[in-house]
Amino acid sequence: DAMVIQNPRYQVTQFGKPVTLSCSQTLNHNVMYWYQQKSSQAPKLLFHYYDKDFNNEADTPDNFQSRRPNTSFCFLDIRSPGLGDAAMYLCATSREGGGVSGYTFGSGTRLTVV
Amino acid sequence: AQTVTQSQPEMSVQEAETVTLSCTYDTSENNYYLFWYKQPPSRQMILVIRQEAYKQQNATENRFSVNFQKAAKSFSLKISDSQLGDTAMYFCAFMKRGRGQNFVFGPGTRLSVLP
C-alpha cells in the first residue's frame, strides 16, 4: 500500500545532541510537510517542501533544519535539541495544489530529550 | 488569514449513541476544502471525511457525516452509532485551493466513547 513512513517511531536523544528524523513516501506526492505536535495540541507546521522548494514558517526556530534529497525522502534535523523540543513530529504529504484528498500523515516520531 | 475554531475541548458519548462535534472557521476565500481528521491515542492521524466548499451536498462516509453551512462558516461532524474505536482527538482543518496551501488546524476535540 502507498504510504508515508516515519522512522524511528520513538527517539530518545540527549540535550544538545543533534538528531535526525526521517520520512519516506511511496505516494509520489510532490509536497512534503513537517509538523511538531505537543501533547493535546494541534499540529504546528515547521516547514514544507514543494518539490525542491523549501518553505520555512516564520516562527520555526533556527535549530530546526530539513533536507529533501529526492521526491521520496525528507529529513528533519534538530541541531541542538532542548527540553522544549520534546514532542511528536509528524510528516505529511500531499499532491500539487492540495486538493480534496487532503494530506496523508505518517505515524509520527515521538522525540524525548533527556 | 484563516482560523479554525473547535469550541468543545472534550466530549463524551455512550456507545451506540450519536454525537456532533462543532467546527467554525473564518475565511474570505470562496474555493477551499474542509476536513475532519481523527487521531487515536499515540496513533496516526487519519482522514475521516472531507468537503469541497463548492459542493452544497453534505459529505457522508458510513457512520460519519457533516453539516456544512457555508454562509455560516460552520462544518460540524456527526458520528452515528458511536463505537469504542471512535475514541480519539478530532481535528477540523481548512485548506485553501491552490499551490502551496497548507492546512489550518483547529485546536481539536477529545472524544471519549463510553461503554
Side-chain angles (χ1 to χ4, degrees):
Chain A
D1 287 341
M3 56 178 59
V4 179
I5 300 167
Q6 291 187 245
N7 285 307
R9 188 72 188 274
Y10 299 93
Q11 175 74 57
V12 179
T13 191
Q14 289 182 326
F15 183 94
K17 184 175 181 180
V19 64
T20 295
L21 310 182
S22 73
C23 176
S24 65
Q25 55 128 339
T26 59
L27 296 156
N28 205 32
H29 285 172
N30 59 332
V31 193
M32 294 187 77
Y33 309 82
W34 279 105
Y35 283 87
Q36 180 192 64
Q37 186 181 26
K38 297 196 175 180
S39 182
S40 300
Q41 295 182 21
K44 177 180 180 297
L45 182 66
L46 296 173
F47 24 61
H48 75 278
Y49 276 93
Y50 198 106
D51 295 317
K52 287 186 178 292
D53 293 336
F54 176 71
N55 299 271
N56 200 29
E57 293 300 298
D59 57 353
T60 297
D62 292 340
N63 197 26
F64 291 85
Q65 304 286 321
S66 185
R67 296 169 283 135
R68 189 179 185 186
N70 54 53
T71 300
S72 301
F73 286 87
C74 196
F75 299 98
L76 170 62
D77 301 308
I78 308 176
R79 291 192 296 188
S80 181
L83 297 179
D85 297 328
M88 175 74 83
Y89 290 88
L90 300 173
C91 175
T93 71
S94 73
R95 293 183 303 178
E96 178 171 345
V100 73
S101 58
Y103 289 8
T104 302
F105 284 87
S107 298
T109 294
R110 184 169 297 282
L111 179 69
T112 300
V113 181
V114 298
Chain B
Q2 290 78 31
T3 58
V4 177
T5 302
Q6 293 177 249
S7 59
Q8 306 146 318
E10 294 190 28
M11 293 190 73
S12 63
V13 62
Q14 292 294 135
E15 195 175 6
E17 296 295 309
T18 294
V19 64
T20 298
L21 309 184
S22 301
C23 173
T24 58
Y25 58 95
D26 188 23
T27 184
S28 58
E29 300 292 329
N30 196 44
N31 293 320
Y32 52 87
Y33 306 99
L34 295 163
F35 305 86
W36 278 98
Y37 277 83
K38 166 186 175 180
Q39 189 177 37
S42 300
R43 293 182 65 186
Q44 190 171 1
M45 186 94 74
I46 300 167
L47 178 64
V48 174
I49 197 165
R50 57 194 149 204
Q51 176 82 39
E52 295 166 87
Y54 68 87
K55 289 187 176 179
Q56 293 186 342
Q57 186 173 4
N58 289 324
T60 300
E61 289 285 342
N62 301 314
R63 298 182 296 108
F64 299 88
S65 62
V66 298
N67 183 3
F68 174 48
Q69 301 290 328
K70 190 172 183 179
K73 296 179 183 168
S74 171
F75 183 62
S76 61
L77 173 69
K78 185 170 83 171
I79 306 174
S80 304
D81 186 25
S82 297
Q83 301 175 1
L84 296 178
D86 296 333
T87 293
M89 281 287 285
Y90 286 81
F91 293 100
C92 179
F94 171 100
M95 175 193 275
K96 191 170 67 171
R97 287 189 73 172
R99 176 186 167 124
Q101 300 306 322
N102 303 316
F103 270 11
V104 176
F105 283 100
T109 296
R110 183 178 301 280
L111 177 67
S112 298
V113 180
L114 308 174

